Amino acid sequence: MSTSSPSAEEFRALHEGEPFVIPNPWDAGSARMLEELGFKALATTSSGFAFTLGRADGDVTLDEVIAHTAALVDAVRVPVAIDLENGYGRPAAEAARAVSAAAEAGGAGGSIEDWDSESGLYPLEEARERIAAAAEAAATSGFVLAARAENHIRGNPDLDDTITRLQAYEAAGADVLYAPGIRGEEIATVCSAVGKPVNVLALPGMKAADLFAAGVQRISVGGQLTWIAAAAAAEAAVAVRDQGDFDVLRTRLQGADWLR
């Protein structure tokens, strides 16, 4: 018998209501900030978290991700979904193990990819089996599982294959379907081809209203908030280094207000 956590139930309910934006914090402080700004749920970013450790995306262990999950869940009151990459192992059992660990750490949901840096895109049947195992693990806690078809950001922008994969993942038990990198008319095509909520990765030039009108239920931003924050800090640091100009340290935002 499955037993849903209150956080997972709250997160699942969001997918049954009005479409929403789910931004991606990179640490506990940014999670608190985004919660205070009024977002109803948050999702971690593998690249953003790796940056906080001084590493590249993909160079983080499951144990580190689970500790990160616990830190963010402890910092906020809204549901937190976890970027679980490929599950930190190719076998289906590893995808299931990652989902179970994230749920035990308080994650309300999370995503599993069909790609890794060594093997590339997994064959469809293997990828489907991995999602089926992850979905079975997710069901014990009500964890909201998103299945990711990585085609469009891994050098294979074949929309027909992407849709075939998403349909297979839906049949395997995924709660949310996600193909990062789709844009334009592809988005409406994907939304009309599946029966579960669709997550879209926001890209410059997109508008939330247009995505929602196309049938999107959830919009995430990936690691981009991390890189915007890092770029702003780097720009200010360069001014300090090269010009001795400390006026760049002025800010209207006061982080302490978010942490009270």
Side-chain angles (χ1 to χ4, degrees):
M1 181 179 297
S2 64
T3 303
S4 298
S5 72
S7 179
E9 291 177 355
E10 181 181 350
F11 192 42
R12 188 173 296 277
L14 285 175
H15 294 81
E16 298 168 354
E18 294 297 315
F20 62 101
V21 176
I22 181 168
N24 304 78
W26 55 96
D27 61 9
S30 58
R32 287 287 298 275
M33 173 186 73
L34 292 168
E35 179 186 35
E36 289 297 323
L37 291 175
F39 291 98
K40 297 179 180 179
L42 308 173
T44 68
T45 158
S46 63
S47 64
F49 175 49
F51 174 74
T52 69
L53 301 177
R55 301 182 204 160
D57 193 13
D59 290 341
V60 177
T61 68
L62 177 59
D63 286 346
E64 289 170 325
V65 168
I66 297 309
H68 177 59
T69 299
L72 267 62
V73 168
D74 186 59
V76 299
R77 297 176 299 277
V78 297
V80 179
I82 314 304
D83 183 342
L84 292 170
E85 300 188 65
N86 74 321
Y88 304 92
R90 183 165 178 169
E94 294 300 295
R97 182 173 75 97
V99 164
S100 295
E104 289 172 7
S111 59
I112 293 289
E113 303 171 3
D114 59 2
W115 175 94
D116 70 49
S117 59
E118 294 183 359
S119 307
L121 290 165
Y122 300 142
L124 175 59
E125 181 55 26
E126 179 184 4
R128 188 203 65 78
E129 290 175 356
R130 298 176 80 254
I131 294 301
E136 184 177 355
T140 64
S141 63
F143 189 90
V144 179
L145 177 66
R148 288 178 50 150
E150 296 288 289
N151 274 350
H152 280 68
I153 59 172
R154 307 299 181 186
N156 183 42
D158 182 336
L159 186 61
D160 288 340
D161 185 52
T162 295
I163 289 172
T164 297
R165 286 173 177 269
L166 293 177
Q167 289 173 335
Y169 304 159
E170 178 178 3
D175 301 299
V176 178
L177 304 168
Y178 182 16
I182 60 172
R183 61 178 72 211
E185 294 181 359
E186 295 173 329
I187 295 172
T189 300
V190 166
C191 290
S192 61
V194 299
K196 293 289 181 68
V198 172
N199 184 101
V200 163
L201 175 66
L203 298 170
M206 291 180 173
K207 302 293 184 184
D210 295 336
L211 297 180
F212 294 150
V216 173
Q217 177 65 23
R218 191 175 93 182
I219 303 170
S220 56
V221 301
Q224 287 308 108
L225 289 179
T226 310
W227 310 124
I228 290 169
E235 183 178 358
V238 167
V240 168
R241 181 195 67 191
D242 294 348
Q243 303 165 26
D245 179 7
F246 299 108
D247 283 345
V248 296
L249 302 180
R250 297 181 189 276
T251 177
R252 291 184 296 108
L253 297 175
Q254 296 297 320
D257 292 342
W258 298 318
L259 303 178
R260 292 195 176 98

